[in-house]
Amino acid sequence: MIVDCAVYRDGHRTEGPEDFSDALAEARAAGGFVWIGLHEPTEKEFDHVTHEFGLHPLAVEDALKAHQRPKLEIYDDSLFLVFKPVVYEPESDSVSSGEVMVFLGDGFVVTVRHGEGAPLAAVRHRLEHEPQLLAKGPTAVVYAIADATVDHYLDVATELQTDLEELEAEVFSPDGGGSRHTASRIYRFKRQILEFRRATGPLGPPLNRLAGTSVSGPGVPFVDERARPFFRDVSDHLMRVNESVEGLDRLVTDILSAHLAQMSVRQNDDMRKISAWAAMAAVPTMIAGIYGMNFEHMPELRWVWSYPAVIALMAGLEVLLYRLFKHRGWL
């Protein structure tokens, strides 16, 4: 559905015609632009926008189906950008992502939002309160969306760092690391990191193109050259996020390895204890088994002190084995 449609002139919102074609013509004549925001539109709802603004069918297909990687595509009459905003849910300590598709052309911006994590309402509100920035045209909208998305990445990275510290404390606690749920929690956390990387990693090359620092292609049309320093600032922030994500991924892998090593050590300790007690139980069992055999010619059978001597021998051997295993740390 269409969430908002407005014409902007000199950085201020104005009332324009309801027809998209008339609004676009009026905005171009006045040196302004049209900004249309949609939320999970159907194909029928999007057909009118596609026809009026001449959007490329391949980009339209991506915008309707969603599930795209962050990217920048250049068509004859427009640009198509994909952002993946990320939301951290503190109740479940999980990360979920949405999608924002942006069509940028001569005198128009069309934004398509999928999911609940997109910051478009806040971006529009911010821009409408900063007319000097909004006056720079459609490029300001793209910059504001990129800036808001990457800034929120930094917040999510901070939350994940806190969760990782809690997980690390649990793994290396005297008793917490042995919990059978710890490994599954570490794995779930690694999945959250992977979801985060899918949003942040592919966004680097498009921002470099917008900032003019990419060597993979020429400049980007429909983007004001004076906006390049702003996109470079966003790209620097994204680089910090990607470095943080890489660090989180390495740390959680190390924590998983440490947890598995701890589990292996605990299992070895348990096996040594079981082996020590089994050895201690085997000695009296062996002696009792020998005397339990029905042999007639056993010289000590007729001896008065045979029974106390055998019991004392068993006890002495048990004490000797106990002290030996205790000294070696098996018990």
Side-chain angles (χ1 to χ4, degrees), residues 301-328:
L301 288 179
R302 303 294 180 181
W303 187 33
V304 176
W305 298 99
S306 295
Y307 179 75
V310 170
I311 295 299
L313 176 63
M314 290 181 181
L317 290 175
E318 291 295 296
V319 171
L320 179 62
L321 288 174
Y322 179 83
R323 295 185 62 180
L324 176 63
F325 290 136
K326 191 73 173 178
H327 177 71
R328 293 185 176 181

Side-chain angles (χ1 to χ4, degrees), residues 198-245:
R198 287 173 178 168
T200 63
L203 186 57
L207 284 181
N208 289 336
R209 290 286 302 275
L210 293 171
T213 58
S214 175
V215 296
S216 61
V220 180
F222 308 110
V223 175
D224 194 333
E225 294 292 326
R226 294 171 296 178
R228 285 186 173 184
F230 296 94
F231 285 112
R232 281 199 294 270
D233 180 66
V234 178
S235 181
D236 289 341
H237 291 174
L238 180 65
M239 188 179 301
R240 286 173 49 197
V241 172
N242 285 329
E243 289 173 354
S244 178
V245 172

Side-chain angles (χ1 to χ4, degrees), residues 171-227:
V171 169
F172 292 104
S173 64
D175 53 354
S179 173
R180 61 181 178 179
H181 302 294
T182 303
S184 60
R185 187 181 173 192
I186 296 173
Y187 179 75
R188 287 196 303 269
F189 189 85
K190 195 169 181 64
R191 288 297 299 250
Q192 304 306 319
I193 298 297
L194 177 60
E195 181 71 18
F196 197 21
R197 291 183 68 175
R198 287 173 178 168
T200 63
L203 186 57
L207 284 181
N208 289 336
R209 290 286 302 275
L210 293 171
T213 58
S214 175
V215 296
S216 61
V220 180
F222 308 110
V223 175
D224 194 333
E225 294 292 326
R226 294 171 296 178

